[in-house]
Amino acid sequence: DGGITQSPKYLFRKEGQNVTLSCEQNLNHDAMYWYRQDPGQGLRLIYYSQIVNDFQKGDIAEGYSVSREKKESFPLTVTSAQKNPTAFYLCASRDTNYNEQFFGPGTRLTVL
Amino acid sequence: GENVEQHPSTLSVQEGDSAVIKCTYSDSASNYFPWYKQELGKRPQLIIDIRSNVGEKKDQRIAVTLNKTAKHFSLHITETQPEDSAVYFCAASISSGNEKLTFGTGTRLTIIP
C-alpha cells in the first residue's frame, strides 16, 4: 500500500473557499486519478492524468481542477463552484504497463 | 458511457458460509473487471481481477466469474471469515491506455460469527 500519500486526512473548510488536496506518489507511476466517494454511490472519477502536463476530465469534473506539473504529484482543487463538496476523496496511481490502480489513504473534506 | 450495477447493497452471511456479489455492465467493449475491498476507514485494495478472455479466475478462497454474453461478473468468497467483513466494489474498464474505471455502488458484507 505504501508509496501513495494524501494529506491531510481530515480537512474542514468554510463554504465558498477553494481548497487543495494533496496527492503524492513515489512509485514512478505515470498515471494518476482522483475519485470522489459518497455513501451508497461507490467511487466516481473526477480527473485523471496519463502523463505529466496532461490531464482529462472524468465523469464529475465540474467544480474541480487539477494540475500535473510533476510525475509524483497530482493535486486536486475543490472550488467554490462545486455544489456539494463534502465527501471522501481518493487518489490513485497506476503503472501504465499494468491495469491495477493503487489507492492513497484518502482525505475526508467537510465544508461547513 | 459505461454503467455498472452491483447487487446486493448489503449482505450478511454466517462465518464459514459462502458469499456471492453480482455486477452487470453496459458497454460490451469493456474487457477488464477488478474487484476492490475497502475495510472501514481504509483505502480500497485490489483483491482479484479478470480479463474478458477468461471466464473464471481463482485465488484461494476468492473467485471471479465472467459471462461476456450476459455482461455480468460475480465475486465468490468461500469459507468466509470475520476479516472478510468490508465493502466490496466491482468495476469495469476498457483497456485502451487510460484505464478509466467505472465502479459499482458497493456491497457491504458482514460476516456473522
Side-chain angles (χ1 to χ4, degrees):
Chain A
D1 294 350
I4 306 176
T5 58
Q6 291 184 244
S7 60
K9 187 173 182 179
Y10 299 96
L11 190 55
F12 297 89
R13 280 294 181 268
K14 291 183 179 179
E15 193 173 340
Q17 290 181 334
N18 291 357
V19 59
T20 297
L21 281 58
S22 167
C23 178
E24 304 279 332
Q25 54 97 3
N26 61 4
L27 300 170
N28 200 35
H29 288 172
D30 282 310
M32 297 187 74
Y33 306 79
W34 273 107
Y35 294 91
R36 169 180 172 142
Q37 185 174 22
D38 296 281
Q41 294 195 47
L43 283 71
R44 292 181 290 167
L45 182 64
I46 305 172
Y47 268 97
Y48 63 101
S49 168
Q50 295 297 102
I51 198 168
V52 175
N53 293 323
D54 188 44
F55 49 83
Q56 287 80 40
K57 292 181 180 179
D59 300 318
I60 56 166
E62 185 175 352
Y64 300 98
S65 65
V66 294
S67 63
R68 186 82 188 278
E69 297 176 0
K70 297 186 301 181
K71 187 175 187 178
E72 302 80 20
S73 179
F74 191 39
L76 173 74
T77 297
V78 185
T79 75
S80 56
Q82 169 49 232
K83 299 271 190 282
N84 185 19
T86 295
F88 188 52
Y89 291 87
L90 285 159
C91 177
S93 72
R94 181 179 69 88
D95 181 331
T96 49
N97 292 311
Y98 303 95
N99 294 106
E100 182 177 358
Q101 292 185 23
F102 293 85
F103 284 86
T107 292
R108 186 166 298 281
L109 173 64
T110 302
V111 175
L112 306 171
Chain B
E2 176 67 281
N3 182 51
V4 176
E5 295 190 357
Q6 182 172 348
H7 299 281
S9 58
T10 60
L11 179 62
S12 295
V13 300
Q14 290 291 141
E15 182 177 353
D17 287 351
S18 295
V20 180
I21 301 170
K22 299 181 179 182
C23 290
T24 60
Y25 61 99
S26 61
D27 192 338
S28 56
S30 289
N31 57 7
Y32 174 65
F33 307 93
W35 285 88
Y36 282 84
K37 174 183 180 181
Q38 187 177 28
E39 296 178 22
L40 189 62
K42 298 194 174 179
R43 71 190 80 190
Q45 289 188 294
L46 180 73
I47 56 171
I48 196 167
D49 56 10
I50 192 168
R51 290 192 156 279
S52 58
N53 58 348
V54 175
E56 183 176 3
K57 184 177 178 181
K58 288 184 180 179
D59 184 3
Q60 299 183 336
R61 297 186 296 109
I62 294 173
V64 56
T65 58
L66 171 66
N67 183 327
K68 286 189 295 183
T69 303
K71 289 190 282 187
H72 67 70
F73 56 113
S74 300
L75 177 71
H76 304 254
I77 306 175
T78 59
E79 301 173 9
T80 53
Q81 300 169 5
E83 54 264 37
D84 295 329
S85 293
V87 178
Y88 292 82
F89 292 97
C90 63
S93 77
I94 302 168
S95 287
S96 60
N98 60 37
E99 303 301 333
K100 285 177 56 180
L101 288 175
T102 300
F103 284 84
T105 50
T107 296
R108 182 173 299 280
L109 174 63
T110 302
I111 307 302
I112 305 166

